Amino acid sequence: MNNVDLDGGGAKDNRKYSPVGAQDRAVLEMSSMDPDSSSDDSVRRVNVRTHASMDGRLHDNGGPRGPHSEHQLELFGFDSLVNILGLRSMTQEQISSPSCPRDNDVVSISKGDQSVKMGTMMGVFVPCLQSILGIIYYIRFSWIIGMAGVADSLLLVSLCGLCTFLTGLSLSAIATNGAMKGGGPYYLIGRALGPEVGVSIGLCFFLGNAIAGALYVLGAVETFLKALPSAGFFTETTTKVNDNVSKTIQIISTHDLQIYGLVVTIILCIIVFGGVKMINRVAPVFLVPVLISVVCIFFGIFLAKKNDPDHGITGLNIEVLKDNWDPQYQSTNSDGIPDPNGKVHWDFNALVGLFFPAVTGIMAGSNRSASLKDTQRSIPLGTLSATIVTTVLYLVSVFLFGAVATREKLLTDRVLTATIAWPLPVITRVGIILSTLGAALQSLTGAPRLLAAIANDDILPVLNYFRVADGSEPNMATLFTSIICMGCVVIGNLDLITPTVTMFFLLCYTGVNLSCFLLDLLDAPSWRPRWKFHHWLLSLFGALLCVVIMFLISWLFTIVSLALASLIYYYVSIKGKAGDWGDGFKSAYFQLALRSLRSLGANQVHPKNWYPIPLILCRPWGKLPENVPCHPKLADFANCMKKKGRGMSLFVNIMDGDYQELAEDAKEACKQLETYINYKNCESVAEIVVAPNMTDGFRGIVQTMGLGNLKPNIVVVRYPEIWRRENLKEIPGRFVGIINDCIVANKAVVIIKGLEEWPNEYQRQYGSIDLYWIVRDGGLMLLLSQLLLTKESFESCKIQVFCIAEEDSDAEVLKADVRKFLYDLRMQAEVIVITIKSWDSEGGSQQDESYEAFSAARKRVSSYLAEMKREGTGDVEEQKVEKFLYTTLKLNTTILRYSRMAAVVLVSLPPPPLNHPAYCYMEYMDLLVGNIQRLVMVRGYRRDVVTLFT
């Protein structure tokens, strides 16, 4: 069989469609390992391909089979389960099971992870505790109590603690639903809400961690300069006014904060650049002072007034607690010192933004997910335990601080925790400095790894510069994080940085809660978290609470942070690479599709809601090259049947043969067809059906394909122009069978002639779209012409409607009626009425340029009918056949006379006449389409697809 030339209608761009060949690997193939083979490498790559033979056994083509391959389970047609999964229990080898491998990745099987894994205490609880009990508790919490009073401080702590506790529940549920890779909350959000949402929130969380590093550094430097004022290079004072009494107070210079902050940041960055080993050596130095400092603070509170402390320390006193119960919001200067003329005014909302970073350490454990022995046990227990312990500590501290010092002392002594610490304030000051530096070290360690995890997912090409190999340090990400941190340190104002950190962390917490809400609400079969204490209502409440807190802090900062996340989301959706992570949105789409399908039912669709759902037969005549799954222009035509890309189409190919023998070939052909569809940017579904023959396969398709009202309603076939040139005698019967089957199945039919000349999206057409509206078809032909106008290639064309009428018909009345009908349909078109003389009066005319084709067709049909009579296979009146031939001749000559320069011609498709052989019908069609460049024949079905009413 000769292949047809497909070069006629290629796209004008530089893209080239490369069909999937037999040797291409579109899907990752995994197979067994040779049990007896050994390797000294720590990582082994498995690329062994398996093929099923006719007897049902799997044979390994990647190398010699080992002695264990002859397994008794092959009786069931499969290799041993151990071999299939690659589990080497006999040799104690383990698989590092990757979560959601990307396409074309190579699965690596390692001999085991030699790194030291951490448990719940050191891996989750202690890091969370250290992050939560950070700078805010030591040098801002007492000031917050003095400003808000004990009552509002209790409400503040409860509100923030409830937010983090609900987020911890959601985090625990998601973290226990499977293995986790690096990336912490980004990994969880991305796999639950999709790559776009995951990357946008992940980048914001990265910025929050980077800025939080500056927050901790400035807190440590401020504590140091409070302890040693003489260490400052600059001296600044301010005046505090209280009860009309002025008092000069020495404050820390912003320049000193900047200088020392930059030095400390550089030292911490050097430690981070040293790698994980150096961090593990330094980390214990920052852990111990946390507990020691807290113990010293509590001892100091209970022992206050016994060691002659500073003025304003009253010891635990119920009267002082009553005095400090109510809030006293007021204005302060930029350093937090009360000042009636201060530029900063504090209220409850502002204090929420200042305090919330104190409870943002709950993600410290999930950030170390790659270093935990058992993430599904350690993350829930460690995170929730640290949250409960610290929340209780904060609540108790509200009462203790509110009862141990006067309001003036609370508002002026920024390091009150060190002032009242026992036995020596310097111990607590050193503990504050080391604990805050430890929190800063965690931020500078976690943020680069978060950025590297986002880059390694290969969603955003712009982040490829930060990608790292497995086991390598993210040096470039660390350098970028250090630059951001030092830039925030230069700002030098702790109270301006904290709201920014708060917004990014709250955005991340919102994403975690929404992820659990979506997964819990959909309740897919894969949603089986080991942590059972969760509910979608709690997750939804947690997400709403996070949003409320964001707006309480600052509506402006909230809009800016949401706008930033939205811009990143939009950028990822445009520039990012597609990644199928099995996210919750896919499950939501599935549930929505099911509900929508059930709501549609199987009733007739109203014309206002009618969408074309074309079923496109890719190779009905089998005359394309074997490596071409579909005619290159079919997708271009399918896109022309959609308005703004909305709608569904199905590309179907039928393979003749036995299903059991051709099942694998059908899968490979389906992959090739999907590749073609994706290349043509056509939103469609590819299907390959194996049937004994074309007729049986098509009848099965028109009966079963689709669900409810989402069944295909139009069958699209290209006209078999090659049937006479290739002398394919089976095509007429197949062609007529398709049309008759569509009529029986109540499907519309669209047949394209001149598909090679069909324009693509870059080839603009001029002229007209001519409709020869002979049979009322429910408005399908009119609707298709309107859809063509929505495409760039046809938007410069105009529509002309030709109505065929007998000579004695009232042409003007018909023209007026059609114009009124088109006007009511909101369609602009020029109406032309053509009168054709009857066949009897024009029978002897030889003026038509297609008369030679008519004469040749009449001779062939006469010979065919004569042969049928000799064989006794049929009896057809030749006069009726000749009348049909002449009718199609007149229609063809009319089209050539009026529409020779048309961009495309649409004409009503005549149905196959009863008792007429398929060969005769093909002769009619050949005569109808002759000498016309682009012709679309349309036959509607027993439903209206347009309506006059609103």
Side-chain angles (χ1 to χ4, degrees):
M1 296 173 61
N2 298 326
N3 298 334
V4 298
D5 185 12
L6 300 176
D7 298 334
K12 298 300 183 183
D13 58 354
N14 293 326
R15 297 180 303 170
K16 293 184 178 180
Y17 166 60
S18 178
V20 178
Q23 302 300 323
D24 293 336
R25 296 189 57 198
V27 179
L28 179 66
E29 296 178 323
M30 298 180 62
S31 63
S32 61
M33 294 174 58
D34 185 5
D36 286 353
S37 62
S38 60
S39 175
D40 296 331
D41 298 332
S42 60
V43 177
R44 301 184 58 195
R45 299 189 180 274
V46 180
N47 290 320
V48 182
R49 301 182 59 189
T50 60
H51 300 274
S53 62
M54 294 300 295
D55 60 356
R57 296 174 179 268
L58 293 180
H59 295 283
D60 190 352
N61 294 334
R65 298 177 62 88
H68 293 280
S69 61
E70 297 294 336
H71 197 279
Q72 60 181 354
L73 290 181
E74 290 190 2
L75 175 65
F76 298 95
F78 296 97
D79 278 339
S80 166
L81 182 63
V82 174
N83 288 335
I84 291 176
L85 297 180
L87 301 179
R88 304 296 299 277
S89 58
M90 300 301 294
T91 58
Q92 301 302 320
E93 293 189 6
Q94 298 178 349
I95 296 179
S96 56
S97 56
S99 298
C100 301
R102 300 181 60 83
D103 291 342
N104 299 325
D105 284 349
V106 178
V107 179
S108 299
I109 301 178
S110 59
K111 286 188 175 181
D113 192 354
Q114 302 299 329
S115 61
V116 178
K117 298 291 186 179
M118 294 179 290
T120 303
M121 179 60 68
M122 296 303 298
V124 180
F125 180 78
V126 172
C128 290
L129 190 68
Q130 184 182 11
S131 298
I132 295 174
L133 289 178
I135 185 63
I136 300 298
Y137 178 79
Y138 289 115
I139 68 176
R140 289 293 183 270
F141 192 53
S142 60
W143 182 89
I144 292 174
I145 296 173
M147 184 66 68
V150 175
D152 282 10
S153 297
L154 290 174
L155 178 61
L156 174 64
V157 174
S158 301
L159 183 67
C160 297
L162 178 63
C163 177
T164 55
F165 180 75
L166 293 177
T167 305
L169 291 178
S170 300
L171 176 68
S172 301
I174 304 175
T176 58
N177 193 50
M180 284 182 59
K181 291 172 61 178
Y186 153 73
Y187 180 83
L188 299 178
I189 296 173
R191 269 59 182 181
L193 299 181
E196 293 85 1
V197 179
V199 172
S200 57
I201 295 181
L203 288 178
C204 291
F205 189 57
F206 158 74
L207 291 176
N209 276 279
I211 298 174
L215 172 69
Y216 297 132
V217 168
L218 289 175
V221 172
E222 183 176 330
T223 305
F224 170 73
L225 293 177
K226 282 286 186 180
L228 294 175
S230 59
F233 299 102
F234 304 90
T235 302
E236 293 184 6
T237 59
T238 187
T239 302
K240 178 181 76 74
V241 180
N242 190 18
D243 297 332
N244 297 324
V245 178
S246 300
K247 182 179 180 181
T248 301
I249 301 176
Q250 183 175 350
I251 61 176
I252 300 174
S253 172
T254 303
H255 299 299
D256 288 334
L257 288 175
Q258 294 170 341
I259 294 173
Y260 280 100
L262 288 175
V263 173
V264 173
T265 304
I266 292 174
I267 295 174
L268 292 177
C269 291
I270 293 174
I271 296 175
V272 175
F273 273 110
V276 177
K277 292 183 179 179
M278 182 175 291
I279 296 173
N280 291 336
R281 293 174 182 173
V282 177
V285 179
F286 300 109
L287 294 178
V288 177
V290 175
L291 297 178
I292 295 179
S293 61
V294 172
V295 172
C296 292
I297 293 171
F298 276 86
F299 271 115
I301 291 175
F302 287 104
L303 298 178
K305 272 301 183 182
K306 295 184 180 180
N307 289 327
D308 192 22
D310 291 349
H311 176 72
I313 304 297
T314 62
L316 294 176
N317 191 318
I318 190 65
E319 296 298 328
V320 175
L321 180 64
K322 292 180 180 179
D323 293 339
N324 295 332
W325 186 264
D326 295 326
Q328 196 175 90
Y329 300 114
Q330 54 189 303
S331 298
T332 67
N333 57 21
S334 58
D335 296 299
I337 305 300
D339 185 357
N341 299 321
K343 297 181 180 180
V344 182
H345 181 75
W346 295 92
D347 54 15
F348 182 81
N349 296 351
L351 291 182
V352 172
L354 179 63
F355 172 75
F356 196 84
V359 296
T360 56
I362 61 173
M363 297 295 180
S366 61
N367 288 338
R368 302 185 176 195
S369 57
S371 302
L372 299 176
K373 292 180 181 178
D374 188 358
T375 58
Q376 300 188 33
R377 181 180 183 274
S378 298
I379 290 180
L381 294 180
T383 302
L384 293 176
S385 299
T387 303
I388 295 174
V389 169
T390 53
T391 302
V392 172
L393 178 64
Y394 278 120
L395 291 174
V396 172
S397 298
V398 170
F399 287 101
L400 295 180
F401 284 130
V404 79
T406 63
R407 190 181 297 271
E408 179 184 359
K409 186 67 174 177
L410 292 173
L411 292 174
T412 56
D413 191 351
R414 302 297 288 269
V415 285
L416 180 64
T417 53
T419 302
I420 64 176
W422 181 89
L424 295 174
V426 67
I427 297 178
T428 302
R429 292 179 185 271
V430 172
I432 294 173
I433 294 172
L434 292 179
S435 63
T436 51
L437 290 180
L441 183 64
Q442 287 191 15
S443 296
L444 293 176
T445 302
R449 283 158 175 76
L450 175 59
L451 182 60
I454 299 175
N456 285 341
D457 276 335
D458 197 22
I459 298 298
L460 271 184
V462 72
L463 298 179
N464 288 343
Y465 200 63
F466 301 109
R467 297 181 66 178
V468 294
D470 293 340
S472 302
E473 293 295 327
N475 293 325
M476 294 307 302
T478 302
L479 178 61
F480 184 65
T481 305
S482 304
I483 294 174
I484 295 177
C485 183
M486 287 187 285
C488 295
V489 167
V490 171
I491 297 176
N493 193 326
L494 201 65
D495 297 333
L496 291 179
I497 295 177
T498 49
T500 306
V501 177
T502 302
M503 290 301 170
F504 289 136
F505 277 91
L506 279 170
L507 193 61
C508 177
Y509 295 170
T510 304
V512 172
N513 283 299
L514 287 178
S515 301
C516 186
F517 162 73
L518 181 63
L519 295 173
D520 213 358
L521 184 65
L522 297 175
D523 200 16
S526 62
W527 176 245
R528 301 185 303 275
R530 285 190 168 89
W531 182 259
K532 302 301 181 183
F533 302 99
H534 63 91
H535 194 272
W536 65 268
L537 281 175
L538 294 177
S539 300
L540 179 61
F541 180 69
L544 295 176
L545 186 59
C546 291
V547 175
V548 169
I549 292 177
M550 291 176 69
F551 279 98
L552 281 178
I553 295 172
S554 172
W555 64 269
L556 181 60
F557 272 88
T558 301
I559 293 177
V560 170
S561 60
L562 292 176
L564 177 61
S566 300
L567 287 176
I568 298 175
Y569 178 90
Y570 183 71
Y571 180 78
V572 174
S573 62
I574 294 178
K575 300 293 185 180
K577 298 180 181 179
D580 187 7
W581 293 345
D583 53 83
F585 280 127
K586 297 295 190 301
S587 181
Y589 298 152
F590 179 77
Q591 295 287 348
L592 182 62
L594 289 180
R595 293 178 181 271
S596 301
L597 187 61
R598 292 179 60 186
S599 63
L600 283 175
N603 298 326
Q604 180 175 341
V605 178
H606 194 276
K608 289 190 295 184
N609 303 322
W610 189 88
Y611 285 84
I613 307 178
L615 188 152
I616 301 166
L617 289 180
C618 299
R619 302 178 62 173
W621 322 126
K623 291 300 295 180
L624 289 175
E626 292 301 324
N627 61 342
V628 179
C630 183
H631 195 287
K633 291 301 185 70
L634 267 178
D636 295 322
F637 182 81
N639 284 329
C640 289
M641 300 180 70
K642 302 176 184 178
K643 184 178 181 180
K644 298 181 180 179
R646 299 191 184 105
M648 180 181 69
S649 56
L650 291 88
F651 282 73
V652 179
N653 192 10
I654 302 174
M655 299 180 63
D656 295 344
D658 183 77
Y659 174 71
Q660 294 183 357
E661 296 178 358
L662 299 178
E664 294 299 324
D665 294 337
K667 293 179 181 178
E668 185 65 25
C670 189
K671 294 175 187 176
Q672 295 182 8
L673 191 54
E674 289 175 350
T675 304
Y676 161 79
I677 293 173
N678 294 332
Y679 165 76
K680 299 296 280 187
N681 294 324
C682 184
E683 294 185 359
S684 306
V685 178
E687 291 291 344
I688 302 296
V689 176
V690 181
N693 52 68
M694 173 71 186
T695 302
D696 292 343
F698 180 75
R699 288 176 178 174
I701 289 173
V702 295
Q703 293 182 74
T704 60
M705 187 160 289
L707 295 172
N709 272 325
L710 289 183
K711 290 183 178 180
N713 47 33
I714 302 176
V715 176
V716 178
V717 186
R718 63 187 180 96
Y719 185 75
E721 302 175 58
I722 61 173
W723 78 280
R724 191 185 308 282
R725 182 175 67 248
E726 301 291 339
N727 194 24
L728 302 177
K729 297 180 179 180
E730 74 279 2
I731 285 184
R734 187 180 298 179
F735 182 73
V736 173
I738 288 176
I739 297 176
N740 286 329
D741 290 340
C742 291
I743 294 175
V744 172
N746 197 25
K747 308 286 185 186
V749 185
V750 173
I751 299 175
I752 319 156
K753 188 263 180 180
L755 189 60
E756 287 78 7
E757 303 297 329
W758 193 265
N760 58 32
E761 56 183 332
Y762 307 106
Q763 297 171 326
R764 185 175 294 273
Q765 302 296 304
Y766 299 94
S768 61
I769 300 174
D770 291 352
L771 281 65
Y772 286 82
W773 196 20
I774 304 173
V775 180
R776 187 177 183 275
D777 58 356
L780 178 60
M781 187 186 301
L782 297 173
L783 183 61
L784 290 179
S785 65
Q786 296 296 318
L787 293 176
L788 287 176
L789 286 182
T790 62
K791 303 303 175 183
E792 293 184 4
S793 53
F794 290 100
E795 63 182 2
S796 300
C797 300
K798 65 177 182 179
I799 297 179
Q800 296 183 148
V801 178
F802 293 86
C803 298
I804 310 299
E806 294 292 338
E807 187 179 16
D808 55 354
S809 300
D810 192 343
E812 293 301 325
V813 174
L814 177 61
K815 185 175 183 179
D817 291 341
V818 174
R819 279 182 174 177
K820 180 63 168 58
F821 180 71
L822 295 177
Y823 177 80
D824 292 337
L825 288 176
R826 293 87 60 203
M827 296 180 181
Q828 294 183 355
E830 181 182 355
V831 179
I832 302 173
V833 177
I834 301 174
T835 60
I836 299 181
K837 295 181 179 181
S838 64
W839 173 75
D840 294 330
S841 60
E842 293 289 333
S845 176
Q846 300 183 12
Q847 303 300 321
D848 297 323
E849 62 178 293
S850 300
Y851 190 76
E852 292 184 3
F854 168 74
S855 300
R858 185 165 53 181
K859 292 180 181 179
R860 289 192 298 268
V861 170
S862 299
S863 300
Y864 182 80
L865 295 178
E867 184 178 355
M868 288 182 60
K869 288 183 179 180
R870 288 195 302 268
E871 297 177 356
T873 57
D875 185 12
V876 182
E877 296 183 15
E878 295 188 16
Q879 187 177 5
K880 289 186 177 180
V881 173
E882 191 168 348
K883 183 177 180 179
F884 276 115
L885 284 173
Y886 191 75
T887 302
T888 55
L889 168 67
K890 293 298 295 182
L891 182 56
N892 175 261
T893 55
T894 302
I895 294 175
L896 291 177
R897 183 179 304 117
Y898 292 97
S899 305
R900 185 180 293 274
M901 303 304 295
V904 62
V905 177
L906 283 75
V907 63
S908 298
L909 173 69
L914 293 177
N915 302 323
H916 283 229
Y919 178 86
C920 294
Y921 185 74
M922 287 302 301
E923 291 287 356
Y924 307 154
M925 292 297 98
D926 278 354
L927 196 57
L928 174 62
V929 304
N931 300 319
I932 302 175
Q933 182 181 15
R934 281 195 291 264
L935 180 69
V936 179
M937 292 177 284
V938 181
R939 177 171 180 82
Y941 60 127
R942 294 185 297 272
R943 292 180 183 177
D944 290 332
V945 298
V946 293
T947 179
L948 304 176
F949 303 101
T950 183

